[in-house]
Amino acid sequence: MTVVLMGIPAVRGGRPALEGRPDTALLVDKFGRVARDLRVSITEKCSLRCTYCMPEEGLPAIPADELLSAEEIVRLVALSVRELGVREVRFTGGEPLMRRDLERIIAGCHAAVPDVPLAMTTNGVGLEHRAGALARAGLHRVNVSLDTVDRTGFTRLTRRDRLTSVLAGIRAAQREGLAPVKVNAVLMRETLSGAADLLQWCLDEGCELRFIEEMPLDADHEWARVNMITAAELLDVLGTRFTLTEAGRPDPAAPAENWLVNGGPARVGIIASVTRTFCSDCDRTRLTADGRIRSCLFSDQEYDVRALLRAGAGDDEIADLWRGAMWNKWAGHGIDAEGFVPPERTMGAIGG
């Protein structure tokens, strides 16, 4: 498959083409997929500097007036559920805990769409101090990024000595009922030897661990296909300590393939984003912190919904822009395609 055949779009503003789109309110694309999972990035700031995500100096700051406000986020989340068929909402960053008004965002969305589960992906730094308030505001659960439980390795990878805070945050989330707490670990050569230790820690703490193949979204552009750790290699390493039984992927749109650990019921997930792609079942739509609709993690095609909001556009106009953006979603990320070019934005700038 070539880049041209996959229809990889360029960065673009204006209005998306709607030719051939069926008459439906849902976020359908040309390949028959329907987006029901909304990822909302609310900041580019982060308290860590993970090598696979951010440059050492952090991302360029987005001026405060260019970020979506709490009220704008609530309006867009409510619109996505009411008009577009979104069923799940996850808040991301950067690091969402860097927003001082995070609790207000959560509370506003919960009040607007009380039946929709609200989740958050976080690095866990400082979560111990805010987990209770977030749960009371209406947050349902959290995913915490944690690649190793070795303090030296954690400090080297994140460029910050904050492992103690992350572990405390996970435990606080458990106590406050933000469950199931899922731990996301990016597969890295330097942490592979500690993968079994991380799994054992998660088993002991009652967390669900999911390993993720590293994707070409790093700020330093050092990712190389030949250097990445694959799902197969991870299974070999985990298999030296645990008996793993393949349990499949119950939900086709869920990214993780599950494996029972020592016969279950505990399990570990593996998100093989590169070697076992699941693009054909993708059901995600994204909002960046500066108010752009993004149909795919790897596509640089974006549409400016913030401008519409601030120009006084009605919900119908915003909904139509969103539908058009998703109608033009491309078939897949094409990492293995000849001529693949990573997106201009890094993971930290897009939102996980």
Side-chain angles (χ1 to χ4, degrees), residues 25 59 65 176 191 229 233:
L59 294 170
D65 63 348
E176 297 295 340
T191 58
I229 304 296
E233 191 171 352

Side-chain angles (χ1 to χ4, degrees), residues 66-286:
E66 294 183 13
L67 286 171
L68 289 175
S69 69
E71 292 73 22
E72 288 169 335
I73 292 170
V74 171
R75 180 183 173 187
L76 290 172
V77 167
L79 183 153
S80 74
V81 173
R82 185 178 62 250
E83 304 290 342
L84 304 174
V86 165
R87 296 177 180 172
E88 297 179 61
V89 178
R90 174 177 298 280
F91 298 98
T92 70
E95 171 47 53
L97 290 172
M98 299 293 284
R99 284 278 299 239
R100 294 182 179 181
D101 58 354
L102 175 60
E103 288 83 356
R104 184 154 63 96
I105 292 170
I106 299 296
C109 290
H110 181 61
V113 290
D115 297 326
V116 173
L118 304 177
M120 178 177 74
T121 295
T122 172
N123 63 31
V125 175
L127 181 59
E128 61 183 303
H129 305 298
R130 299 175 71 178
L134 288 167
R136 291 189 292 273
L139 188 67
H140 292 85
R141 63 180 184 85
V142 295
N143 285 15
V144 180
S145 300
L146 175 63
D147 304 308
T148 178
V149 287
D150 174 73
R151 184 172 177 179
T152 300
F154 179 93
T155 302
R156 183 185 310 115
L157 187 63
T158 67
R159 303 179 177 118
R160 299 289 188 274
D161 184 10
R162 303 304 304 274
L163 178 61
T164 300
S165 179
V166 175
L167 301 185
I170 291 173
R171 290 167 177 146
Q174 295 275 41
R175 289 195 303 271
E176 297 295 340
L178 297 174
V181 175
K182 295 183 179 180
V183 172
N184 293 338
V186 175
L187 284 169
M188 305 285 287
R189 184 68 58 187
E190 55 264 50
T191 58
L192 182 60
S193 62
D197 293 333
L198 178 59
L199 176 53
Q200 187 61 60
W201 187 89
C202 289
L203 294 174
D204 294 341
E205 296 289 333
C207 300
E208 295 184 14
L209 175 60
R210 305 188 306 174
F211 289 98
I212 305 171
E213 287 182 342
E214 185 187 8
M215 295 177 282
L217 294 165
D218 59 307
D220 297 327
H221 302 293
E222 294 180 352
W223 183 92
R225 177 70 170 79
V226 296
N227 296 331
M228 62 168 284
I229 304 296
T230 66
E233 191 171 352
L234 170 68
L235 289 170
D236 288 341
V237 170
L238 295 180
T240 63
R241 193 186 303 187
F242 305 97
T243 299
L244 301 178
T245 306
E246 189 170 3
R249 185 187 286 124
D251 178 0
E257 298 178 67
N258 293 314
W259 300 76
L260 298 179
V261 181
N262 296 335
R267 60 186 181 177
V268 61
I270 301 177
I271 301 176
S273 310
V274 178
T275 62
R276 304 179 190 178
T277 61
F278 42 87
C279 296
S280 61
D281 294 310
C282 180
D283 68 345
R284 294 179 183 174
T285 184
R286 299 174 181 275

